[in-house]
Amino acid sequence: SQQGEEDPQALSIQEGENATMNCSYKTSINNLQWYRQNSGRGLVHLILIRSNEREKHSGRLRVTLDTSKKSSSLLITASRAADTASYFCATDASGTYKYIFGTGTRLKVLA
Amino acid sequence: DTEVTQTPKHLVMGMTNKKSLKCEQHMGHRAMYWYKQKAKKPPELMFVYSYEKLSINESVPSRFSPECPNSSLLNLHLHALQPEDSALYLCASSQGAGTGSWEQYFGPGTRLTVT
């Protein structure tokens, strides 16, 4: 089964609002990554957070990681129409080469 | 150059055809990946090559045959596919593989339709 489950499955917000999406996973990890995918295209890496980190920022993105709860959140502040995309978390089960992607959140930002 | 290229962008093939998907990167990355993605689903890992050697095969049917001719190229040979194999096939690369924290760079994908 998939490593990560994300919620919500879909999110629709107005431009300028903040968007928060959550990822839960099942086993211990080395790191967790977030990716963005515009419709039917390749994925773009957004941010990587290691298992010994709790929070990380990159521009308008803020990622938190709670290893005790096996969960992560991605916050996009001051959203723009261009942020409309699907967002996936990906985790590597400790000791493996494999990244398993979560179910994804489809974000729609309305202008 | 931080780009992963994939050809072709679109491919339509019959169930008796043989075709190949190609992927190329010039970032000096030593790990390359094939993923399959169905509509509105996350990418599913198919194969991982590390230092040009196949390190992971996620129980993929033998009608999919990967090949890594050198450190920059990755091919996926297709033969006798089924309509349910229609999907977006994504190639990715990373600086390393295995234990560590490796960002993956994805190509734009090949949209495959099997008729």
Side-chain angles (χ1 to χ4, degrees), chain A residues 18-43:
Chain A
N18 295 342
T20 299
M21 48 207 90
N22 305 293
C23 168
S24 60
Y25 56 92
K26 297 177 182 174
T27 65
S28 59
I29 61 171
N30 293 314
N31 67 79
L32 183 144
Q33 303 186 36
W34 285 91
Y35 288 83
R36 184 187 75 227
Q37 184 177 34
N38 290 90
S39 181
R41 299 186 60 80
L43 283 77

Side-chain angles (χ1 to χ4, degrees), chain A residues 33 35 37 42 97-99 102, chain B residues 37 42 56 98 100 102-104 107:
Chain A
Q33 303 186 36
Y35 288 83
Q37 184 177 34
Y97 285 30
K98 306 194 304 186
Y99 279 96
Chain B
Q37 185 178 28
I56 292 181
W102 307 111
E103 170 186 341
Q104 293 185 60

Side-chain angles (χ1 to χ4, degrees), chain B residues 1-111:
Chain B
D1 183 4
T2 58
E3 191 179 18
V4 176
T5 59
Q6 289 187 245
T7 56
K9 289 184 180 178
H10 301 275
L11 178 62
V12 179
M13 61 185 290
M15 290 189 285
T16 58
N17 291 159
K18 284 185 181 181
K19 296 286 184 183
S20 296
L21 309 184
K22 296 185 184 302
C23 174
E24 190 166 6
Q25 58 88 12
H26 294 288
M27 295 176 278
H29 287 176
R30 304 319 300 259
M32 296 185 78
Y33 310 76
W34 280 115
Y35 289 87
K36 173 182 177 180
Q37 185 178 28
K38 302 284 271 185
K40 297 188 177 179
K41 297 290 187 182
E44 295 179 6
L45 183 66
M46 299 175 72
F47 303 104
V48 180
Y49 273 83
S50 176
Y51 292 86
E52 299 164 48
K53 299 253 187 293
L54 184 64
S55 58
I56 292 181
N57 176 342
E58 287 289 279
S59 301
V60 179
S62 60
R63 57 185 184 269
F64 295 91
S65 175
E67 178 196 20
C68 189
N70 60 55
S71 60
S72 299
L73 292 174
L74 186 66
N75 298 321
L76 186 63
H77 302 297
L78 314 172
H79 173 55
L81 294 192
Q82 304 296 310
E84 60 264 29
D85 296 322
S86 298
L88 181 67
Y89 288 84
L90 294 162
C91 173
S93 69
S94 63
Q95 189 174 1
T99 303
S101 300
W102 307 111
E103 170 186 341
Q104 293 185 60
Y105 291 76
F106 281 82
T110 293
R111 176 77 58 191

Side-chain angles (χ1 to χ4, degrees), chain A residues 27-76:
Chain A
T27 65
S28 59
I29 61 171
N30 293 314
N31 67 79
L32 183 144
Q33 303 186 36
W34 285 91
Y35 288 83
R36 184 187 75 227
Q37 184 177 34
N38 290 90
S39 181
R41 299 186 60 80
L43 283 77
V44 174
H45 181 267
L46 296 177
I47 199 163
L48 180 152
I49 186 165
R50 292 181 171 79
S51 58
N52 62 353
E53 297 175 313
R54 292 296 166 258
E55 188 171 313
K56 208 159 180 182
H57 296 254
S58 176
R60 294 185 295 114
L61 307 180
R62 173 178 169 252
V63 168
T64 62
L65 179 64
D66 187 334
T67 53
S68 66
K69 294 181 179 177
K70 292 186 169 60
S71 68
S72 173
S73 68
L74 170 67
L75 168 67
I76 303 174

